[in-house]
């Protein structure tokens, strides 16, 4: 059960290092299969740790592929409580 978490951490750190990568680049960089890398990227996207930055055309695909990157830090909805005080 620990193995998927390790892969998620590896892919997450890979994306933070490179800032952008396709599933194929992640797979080749971390020596895993492309379907495995794609599945883990979808899981990271669902968890909010990765996001699709853009879609771009590449030579090996007929449709545009997703380019993933680390998700931006989630900002708090309420920055201060001044609105509670009526200021």
């Amino acid at each position: 059960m620990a193995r998927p978490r390790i892969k998620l951490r590896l892919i997450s750190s890979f994306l933070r290092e490179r800032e952008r990568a396709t599933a194929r680049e992640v797979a080749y960089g971390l020596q895993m299969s492309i379907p495995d890398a794609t599945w883990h990227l979808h899981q990271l996207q669902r968890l909010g740790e990765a996001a699709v930055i853009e879609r771009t055309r590449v030579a090996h695909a007929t449709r545009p592929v997703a380019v993933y990157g680390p998700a931006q830090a989630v900002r708090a909805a309420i920055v201060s409580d001044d609105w509670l005080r009526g200021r």
Side-chain angles (χ1 to χ4, degrees):
M1 287 289 181
R3 191 173 194 139
R5 284 185 273 167
I6 292 171
K7 286 184 179 181
L8 289 175
R9 287 184 194 154
L10 282 171
I11 293 172
S12 183
S13 64
F14 185 84
L15 287 177
R16 280 195 303 270
E17 250 181 52
R18 298 207 38 188
E19 295 183 5
R20 53 187 294 127
T22 63
R24 183 178 285 238
E25 292 168 345
V26 170
Y28 288 159
L30 297 177
Q31 296 182 354
M32 60 176 60
S33 69
I34 295 171
D36 195 27
T38 302
W39 187 84
H40 283 88
L41 282 165
H42 285 291
Q43 294 302 315
L44 284 172
Q45 190 176 5
R46 186 179 59 83
L47 293 171
E49 294 185 28
V52 175
I53 298 173
E54 67 177 339
R55 294 197 179 271
T56 186
R57 292 205 171 266
V58 291
H60 58 79
T62 57
R63 290 184 271 173
V65 298
V67 177
Y68 296 92
Q72 300 297 326
V74 179
R75 294 184 181 185
I78 300 173
V79 179
S80 69
D81 61 350
D82 288 342
W83 66 275
L84 290 173
R85 297 180 190 156
R87 291 183 188 175

